[in-house]
């Protein structure tokens, strides 16, 4: 392909828009008292997340030993340690890595993740942070779609309400695997012979609920079931977790918890997930010390993870991450095959 001035102008324009978008994110958090941090991508252990496959590598020590390491699927591991030491509110834009068959327009094995922790706050407070961030981005960047499709305030809906509206299922009334399976079958959902409750829940969610979610404005889906294991704190007196996810135009953009800091609850989570992770294709060591990093009486904090590439994609009006990632994984593989 011949080089042209129009080609050069296009890439410069794209790079400038990309840089402006990242500056807006950093500017928002810096202006609101968050300290920016930079944590390792190479990890000797990870938080157990069986649904996520990871990348394994090795450190070749001077003693000849090969020390196993894994690429972080998020900066959570280290950011929580800073938070527990009294860092106050912090944020980071990191490269994160997830392995396995992640095909489709909104997946890439290497991606940018914005993660922020707000000291002394809960999960609902972080909805306001996300709304303010969107307002900042809209003020400083030219969106590629109608502003009203992105502008706060966000729509809000509980997971219980979403199941009732879009699947015709009272989620709280189906808290065992057989009941959830039968509820899905009655709604015409194809189910495996013997699903766990979590499997049946996700099948119904992906088949009936997620496709029905409103797309007119950003939507916050709150109060996920506690039976979906995470490090989110339980909502007192309910079967729900203090957790939300943000959807824009049907694409999941962010995930947020009120962080669990009770060592007993964290130990139970680590024990359960350590058993489940044995089915992972890439085994990894578990951060057994996670349960004990928070001192007694640690104040509440909220943690949120937001996919920067997905956010930039929906803001720019693109339909695929290939429109915002400079070197998407598929293009890297194509370059490799062309050089053989």
């Amino acid at each position: 392909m011949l080089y042209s001035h129009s080609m050069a102008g296009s890439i410069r324009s794209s790079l400038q828009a990309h840089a402006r978008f990242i500056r807006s994110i950093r500017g928002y958090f810096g202006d609101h008292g968050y300290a920016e941090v930079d944590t390792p991508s190479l990890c000797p252990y990870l938080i157990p997340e069986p649904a996520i496959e990871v990348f394994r590598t090795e450190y070749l020590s001077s003693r000849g030993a090969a020390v196993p390491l894994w690429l972080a699927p998020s900066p959570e591991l280290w950011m929580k340690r800073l938070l527990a030491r009294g860092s106050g509110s912090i944020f980071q834009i990191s490269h994160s890595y997830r392995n396995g068959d992640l095909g489709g327009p909104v997946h890439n094995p290497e991606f940018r993740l914005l993660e922020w922790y707000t000291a002394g706050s809960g999960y609902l407070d972080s909805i306001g942070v996300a709304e303010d961030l969107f307002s900042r981005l809209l003020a400083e960047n030219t969106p590629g779609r109608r502003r009203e499709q992105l502008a706060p305030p966000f729509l809000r809906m509980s997971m219980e309400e979403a199941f009732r509206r879009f699947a015709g299922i009272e989620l709280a009334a189906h808290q065992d695997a057989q009941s959830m399976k039968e509820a899905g079958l009655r709604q015409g959902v194809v189910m495996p012979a013997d699903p766990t409750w979590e499997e049946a829940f996700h099948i119904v969610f992906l088949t009936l609920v997620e496709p029905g979610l409103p797309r007119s404005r950003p939507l916050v889906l709150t109060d996920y079931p506690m039976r979906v294991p995470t490090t989110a704190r339980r909502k007192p007196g309910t079967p729900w977790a203090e957790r939300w996810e943000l959807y824009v135009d049907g694409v999941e953009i962010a995930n947020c918890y009120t962080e669990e800091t009770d060592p007993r609850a964290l130990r139970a989570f680590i024990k359960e997930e350590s058993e489940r992770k044995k089915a992972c294709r890439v085994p990894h060591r578990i951060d057994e010390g996670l349960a004990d990093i928070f001192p007694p009486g640690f104040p509440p904090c909220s943690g949120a993870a937001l996919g920067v590439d997905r956010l930039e994609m929906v803001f720019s009006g693109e339909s695929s991450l290939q429109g915002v990632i400079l070197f998407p994984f598929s293009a890297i593989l194509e370059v490799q095959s062309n050089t053989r």
Side-chain angles (χ1 to χ4, degrees), residues 265-307:
L266 288 171
R267 286 191 198 101
F269 167 80
I270 290 171
K271 181 178 180 181
E272 179 181 353
E273 296 303 278
S274 295
E275 286 300 312
R276 284 156 43 103
K277 84 165 186 68
K278 291 177 181 178
C280 290
R281 292 171 60 189
V282 184
H284 54 271
R285 291 177 180 166
I286 298 303
D287 180 12
E288 302 285 354
L290 176 67
D292 299 306
I293 64 172
F294 293 104
F298 193 82
C301 62
S302 173
L306 184 152

Side-chain angles (χ1 to χ4, degrees), residues 4 6 31 37 41 55 79 103 175 193 302 336 338:
S4 69
S6 62
D31 289 349
V37 299
S41 292
F55 288 92
M79 292 184 77
Q175 291 293 300
S302 173
Q336 182 189 38
N338 289 338

Side-chain angles (χ1 to χ4, degrees), residues 91-248:
F91 82 101
Q92 178 173 191
I93 299 174
S94 69
H95 277 247
S96 297
Y97 306 86
R98 298 189 182 181
N99 206 345
D101 186 9
L102 299 172
V106 296
H107 293 285
N108 201 67
E110 180 178 1
F111 60 98
R112 294 171 298 164
L113 192 65
L114 163 66
E115 192 147 328
W116 77 83
Y117 289 84
T118 310
S121 76
Y123 74 129
L124 296 180
D125 299 309
S126 280
I127 298 175
V129 174
E131 289 178 327
D132 288 347
L133 174 61
F134 269 53
S135 294
R136 176 75 166 253
L137 290 168
L138 285 169
E140 297 181 353
N141 300 267
T142 303
R145 61 180 62 213
R146 296 196 311 273
R147 286 181 175 270
E148 58 266 29
Q149 291 181 303
L150 298 167
F154 299 159
L155 300 174
R156 301 191 188 193
M157 184 183 300
S158 70
M159 183 65 84
E160 172 78 325
E161 181 185 354
F163 261 71
R164 188 185 308 120
R165 285 181 59 180
F166 305 117
I169 295 173
E170 296 285 342
L171 189 54
H174 297 87
Q175 291 293 300
D176 64 83
Q178 186 63 26
S179 174
M180 178 57 72
K181 174 187 174 181
E182 292 173 357
L185 290 172
R186 285 194 295 270
Q187 300 301 323
V189 178
V190 176
M191 289 281 181
D194 190 25
T196 65
W197 183 91
E198 188 179 349
E199 288 170 341
F201 163 82
H202 279 116
I203 291 170
V204 173
F205 179 75
L206 293 174
T207 305
L208 298 178
V209 179
E210 193 174 63
L213 296 177
R215 298 188 176 204
S216 58
R217 298 216 321 268
L219 168 72
V220 176
L221 195 58
T222 66
D223 301 339
Y224 276 58
M226 276 299 297
R227 295 203 61 174
V228 179
T230 65
T231 57
R233 190 171 68 182
R234 178 185 290 273
K235 192 173 182 180
T238 76
W240 317 121
E242 294 190 353
R243 173 187 177 189
W244 56 258
E245 289 194 348
L246 174 62
Y247 282 79
V248 181

Side-chain angles (χ1 to χ4, degrees), residues 59-67:
Y59 167 66
L60 303 178
S61 74
S62 59
R63 298 179 180 179
V67 180

Side-chain angles (χ1 to χ4, degrees), residues 22-39 75 79 82 87-95 113-117 308:
I22 298 300
R23 281 199 304 270
S24 294
I25 295 174
R26 286 197 162 98
Y28 170 78
F29 284 99
D31 289 349
H32 287 79
Y34 290 75
E36 184 170 7
V37 299
D38 187 14
T39 61
M79 292 184 77
L82 293 174
S87 66
S89 298
I90 53 177
F91 82 101
Q92 178 173 191
I93 299 174
S94 69
H95 277 247
L113 192 65
L114 163 66
E115 192 147 328
W116 77 83
Y117 289 84
V308 175

